Amino acid sequence: MHGSTGDPGFRTTGGAVRLPGRGGSPSSGAGRTGGLPGLAPHRPAREVVSVVAEPGLVVEDAAETFCGAVIRADVREVVLEDSAGRRRLFPNKPAAFLHEGRPATLVPPQRAAGPDDATSQQRSASGSRRVENARARTALPHRIWVEGLHDAEIVERVWGHDLRVEGVVVEPLHGADVLVEAAREFGPGPDRRLGVLVDHLVTGSKESRIAEGLRRDLGPAAAHVLVLGHPYIDIWEAVKPRTVGIEAWPTIPRGIEWKRGVCEALGWGDERAGARRVLSSVSTWTDLETPLITAMEQLIDFVTVGA
């Protein structure tokens, strides 16, 4: 189901991996056959086709950086999986893909939504193919750590089926502050990989400094650790606002604990009541923002490749 996300090693990112495009520079002059010096010849616009993004449809992103089969698609996002099992998530924009060499706009398949929809029953909450009647698998020595209980509960709601099939255990850290000490005690190695999902992994944040400190502290063992994250202050904010029935997450002033401030601003009561509202609203990958989805898919790849 999953595959490698690239060269193994310690990496930090707050979003999707961007791969370089192919081909020469627009100013290189390659392929010119005439016209005024320094100007490329006129080429007629290529026709853009609309293609239904049925699972299994093979396409390439328009920048020609990744080719794979459609795993899931909606009006906002498309997930492709290549022959090695690597997954990438792309915005679903007009003419954003190539189908049989032609520019294409992917149209989400129209299916009746409901408990009797056999197709939807074949997919897990993460959009991957559901494995029925699988024998329980002994847990792998690898681990995925998340910051807190709410993170673990959201991950379980969306990726729980996938993780159980793969034999991956997700554990809450109860705060990024303990990451370095906990990782040192865990002892990562070639047969004991560690994936870590952290909140607010942006340049200059406390979490980014902790991640960099982890790399220095672990030395060569850091090659077997992958720290990924999302740019949101808290896992709640990685839930799409419409999922919890609001237009946008409120901006909370510095010095006020974020979850408490959110609950007060939205009239949700205390943090426990807010947590119940948020967690009960999440049921599938479509309820989450793209950076969180991308990070979790890559972490699962990292700890299951070759397992």
Side-chain angles (χ1 to χ4, degrees), residues 22 55 91 139 188 221 268 275 278 300 303-305:
R22 296 200 296 265
W268 284 359
V278 173
I300 294 173
V303 299
T304 58
V305 60

Side-chain angles (χ1 to χ4, degrees), residues 234-277:
D234 185 272
I235 191 73
W236 288 10
E237 198 179 13
V239 177
K240 293 178 178 176
R242 62 170 175 77
T243 300
V244 294
I246 61 176
E247 293 186 3
W249 289 101
T251 300
I252 306 303
R254 288 180 176 271
I256 298 178
E257 197 277 323
W258 191 83
K259 283 178 177 172
R260 179 171 63 84
V262 165
C263 291
E264 291 177 355
L266 297 176
W268 284 359
D270 61 16
E271 186 178 319
R272 287 181 296 179
R276 287 194 296 270
R277 179 186 292 264

Side-chain angles (χ1 to χ4, degrees), residues 9 17 34 73 82 110 140 151 165-166 184 192 209 214 263:
V17 174
D82 70 6
Q110 299 296 317
L140 297 173
D151 306 69
V165 169
E166 297 287 359
R184 190 187 308 121
R192 193 172 172 81
R209 292 192 295 271
L214 177 63
C263 291

Side-chain angles (χ1 to χ4, degrees), residues 1-18:
M1 176 181 66
H2 298 282
S4 171
T5 61
D7 295 336
F10 182 97
R11 303 185 298 279
T12 63
T13 180
V17 174
R18 295 185 180 271

Side-chain angles (χ1 to χ4, degrees), residues 13 57 127 157 173 188 231:
T13 180
L57 177 76
R157 280 182 174 272
L173 273 173

